[in-house]
Amino acid sequence: MKFLYSDTQDYVDPGYDFLNDRCRPGRERYWSDVYAHEFMDPAPYDGLLVSMSAVRQAAGVATSKVRYSTREEQRLLRDGARQFLRYGGPRFKDTMLLGDCGAFAYVEHPVPAYAPEEVVEFYTEAGFTHGISPDHIIFACDLTNPSEQAVDAATRQRFAITLANAEVFLGLVKREGMPFEPLGPVQGWSPKSMAEAAHRLERMGYRYLAIGGLVPLKVDAIKAVLTAIRERIRPETEIHLLGFAKADSIHEFTGFGITSFDSTSPLIRAFKDEKANYYREGSDGRLEYYTAIRIPQATENARLMQGIKRGQFSAEDLLLRERRALIEVRAYDRGASSAEATLDAVMDYHQFLLRGDGTGAAQQDKALRKTAALVQRTLKHQPWKECDCAVCRDIGVEVIIFRSSNRNKRRGMHNLSVYHRHLSKTIQGTA
Ligand SMILES: [Zn+2]
């Protein structure tokens, strides 16, 4: 089972100065920076997924969060996606480079933003190894399997558009001499309708299917979908799970004949999750999570800046507490301070992130106690000291500090590598 990471232009400055929080002098975005697969050996994933909507903005479609500039798009098409992503050479020769349309970008529109012709041309020019036909997301998944007549016209239309596109797309790919492996996207409003879509795609000639619409579904619902699909298709037909948000539960999915899936969650959780920011493989083979220690930059944090502007706290005072928290955490890492003193310094600064949020003192105290307990656990276990990934070896305790993109993204890369290893073990364990 291959784990693909969706490219969201995540790179870090390898020469970042953590003590002064500065990029290396003369650093040029992208050119001086490195991707996770350049920074880490082995690479923390088996392939990359690139969404067309992130690279090429379609007319009338909201700008995707990940956005290539026009020059970047041109370079990607001219040099190929592999060279653009610096994912070439013998080290990565067997890796997957999967293209999709990024259907979330045009989900509000009546039809997909790109026609099959444009998509085939894009995948071919960019040199993808695999590419998914333009689909149209159906969000609701009704496990009671309502009939086609019982669902609304818009849903029926999305189902029909996705299949009609797939037929045209496959014809074009064949005509071009199959420059990449085409994947047929499965969309439906229920397990049964998705199984029907999968069956029709297989009859068209697809050997590899991409199951969409799984993002909001719980583990049991995804299993119901996969069971229904597997019952209708050949055992040798391959399956990719699109945007698989339940990556942590992958051990429950090893029996469905899944060839590949993509997820961004290990990286994203490093800086979006409330508390599960740092991954570790537990002794029982399951993943464990730690909260990162939040020491934001006082003069760059929106909430702290508001408080300073409103006169609630002084910038000078905040800077002192911020500095003290950093000094204590680093001293603790060297064995030159205690966990208690470090926790005190961290929470003394952290409280300002909450004070002034308008929830009242009782509520704030409760939130602070919760955070203190989580930070205490992180400090006590010192998980960054046990990890031998390139990030933790390189920057040590900085990886656990929640502060600036260069730390947060590196922590995300560490998570990817822990996750990737966890996945290989899970697969080996069930083989
Ligand atoms: Zn690590």
Side-chain angles (χ1 to χ4, degrees):
M1 196 173 348
K2 288 180 174 154
F3 166 49
L4 272 56
Y5 180 67
S6 316
D7 162 55
T8 40
Q9 292 185 304
D10 294 310
Y11 26 72
V12 293
D13 172 8
Y16 191 78
D17 174 355
F18 289 94
L19 290 181
N20 297 298
D21 271 304
R22 268 199 297 262
C23 282
R24 182 172 45 185
R27 170 246 178 189
E28 275 184 86
R29 189 186 154 271
Y30 170 80
W31 295 105
S32 317
D33 294 344
V34 290
Y35 287 99
H37 52 263
E38 295 179 280
F39 198 67
M40 312 185 90
D41 193 6
Y45 34 73
D46 306 304
L48 284 170
L49 171 84
V50 178
S51 292
M52 189 170 167
S53 64
V55 180
R56 176 179 299 175
Q57 196 180 347
V61 168
T63 310
S64 155
K65 266 188 284 176
V66 183
R67 182 71 194 109
Y68 282 61
S69 66
T70 307
R71 281 175 66 179
E72 284 170 333
E73 177 188 345
Q74 286 166 352
R75 204 166 66 239
L76 180 134
L77 291 175
R78 192 189 58 224
D79 299 342
R82 213 174 260 291
Q83 193 177 329
F84 182 90
L85 297 161
R86 300 193 289 256
Y87 197 44
R91 229 189 117 196
F92 304 118
K93 75 174 176 23
D94 293 325
T95 57
M96 238 173 120
L97 210 50
L98 173 64
D100 84 341
C101 291
F104 277 100
Y106 54 78
V107 70
E108 316 265 331
H109 289 242
V111 293
Y114 312 102
E117 292 77 6
E118 191 185 356
V119 178
V120 170
E121 196 182 291
F122 178 81
Y123 293 162
T124 307
E125 273 186 52
F128 285 96
T129 61
H130 298 74
I132 306 173
S133 166
D135 59 336
H136 215 12
I137 298 175
I138 297 173
F139 272 110
C141 181
D142 189 336
L143 299 182
T144 66
N145 288 312
S147 69
E148 192 160 353
Q149 290 74 40
V151 298
D152 61 37
T155 299
R156 283 201 299 273
Q157 205 184 3
R158 281 168 182 259
F159 184 80
I161 287 174
T162 300
L163 289 171
N165 269 352
E167 186 135 42
V168 176
F169 182 84
L170 187 62
L172 290 165
V173 179
K174 282 182 176 162
R175 206 179 67 194
E176 296 292 321
M178 302 280 273
F180 56 85
E181 174 76 38
L183 274 76
V186 173
Q187 292 285 351
W189 60 87
S190 64
K192 212 170 161 186
S193 62
M194 290 173 88
E196 174 63 23
H199 172 67
R200 289 196 210 172
L201 289 164
E202 198 182 66
R203 278 207 344 222
M204 282 176 206
Y206 282 98
R207 299 173 303 206
Y208 207 156
L209 307 177
I211 322 289
L214 302 176
V215 173
L217 300 187
K218 296 206 162 63
V219 166
D220 285 348
I222 300 176
K223 283 185 182 170
V225 166
L226 289 172
T227 304
I229 290 175
R230 266 290 165 221
E231 278 170 6
R232 286 289 312 264
I233 61 171
R234 287 193 292 260
E236 64 268 30
T237 295
E238 301 192 280
I239 288 180
H240 176 88
L241 304 180
L242 273 167
F244 187 55
K246 300 286 179 285
D248 301 34
S249 309
I250 195 70
H251 57 280
E252 298 191 44
F253 292 90
T254 49
F256 291 102
I258 294 159
T259 302
S260 54
F261 68 96
D262 65 272
S263 179
T264 51
S265 66
L267 189 126
I268 302 292
R269 278 164 73 176
F271 46 93
K272 289 252 171 85
D273 200 273
E274 279 288 300
K275 47 187 185 180
N277 308 123
Y278 183 92
Y279 283 38
R280 185 174 88 162
E281 203 164 23
S283 46
D284 59 351
R286 305 288 279 270
L287 289 169
E288 265 179 23
Y289 310 99
Y290 285 90
T291 197
I293 302 170
R294 285 172 203 253
I295 311 179
Q297 286 169 277
T299 51
E300 282 180 24
N301 183 277
R303 194 172 256 193
L304 295 176
M305 284 304 283
Q306 269 174 19
I308 293 170
K309 272 190 197 142
R310 284 201 229 104
Q312 280 172 310
F313 14 90
S314 90
E316 256 181 2
D317 178 49
L318 277 185
L319 285 167
L320 276 174
R321 291 172 200 250
E322 175 192 353
R323 173 167 289 269
R324 207 187 121 225
L326 284 169
I327 288 172
E328 281 292 335
V329 168
R330 289 171 185 150
Y332 174 65
D333 178 55
R334 291 194 307 271
S337 177
S338 68
E340 296 74 37
T342 307
L343 182 64
D344 275 354
V346 168
M347 295 311 294
D348 178 54
Y349 178 54
H350 187 91
Q351 59 172 320
F352 291 93
L353 288 167
L354 285 177
R355 301 292 182 208
D357 71 355
T359 57
Q363 190 84 19
Q364 290 167 359
D365 287 345
K366 200 176 149 198
L368 283 171
R369 276 198 300 276
K370 247 183 170 170
T371 303
L374 291 167
V375 173
Q376 191 174 33
R377 177 172 167 269
T378 301
L379 289 172
K380 191 176 155 216
H381 293 189
Q382 300 187 303
W384 66 92
K385 291 204 164 181
E386 285 168 29
C387 182
D388 66 352
C389 85
V391 169
C392 298
R393 276 197 325 249
D394 188 35
I395 68 166
V397 70
E398 303 294 334
V399 72
I400 204 79
I401 303 176
F402 197 120
R403 175 186 175 89
S404 81
S405 130
N406 262 287
R407 284 182 191 77
N408 298 344
K409 279 199 175 159
R410 272 175 174 80
R411 187 167 55 254
M413 292 176 178
H414 151 92
N415 287 350
L416 285 172
S417 109
V418 173
Y419 182 74
H420 191 225
R421 205 168 43 208
H422 164 73
L423 177 71
S424 338
K425 280 191 192 163
T426 305
I427 298 165
Q428 276 169 12
T430 54

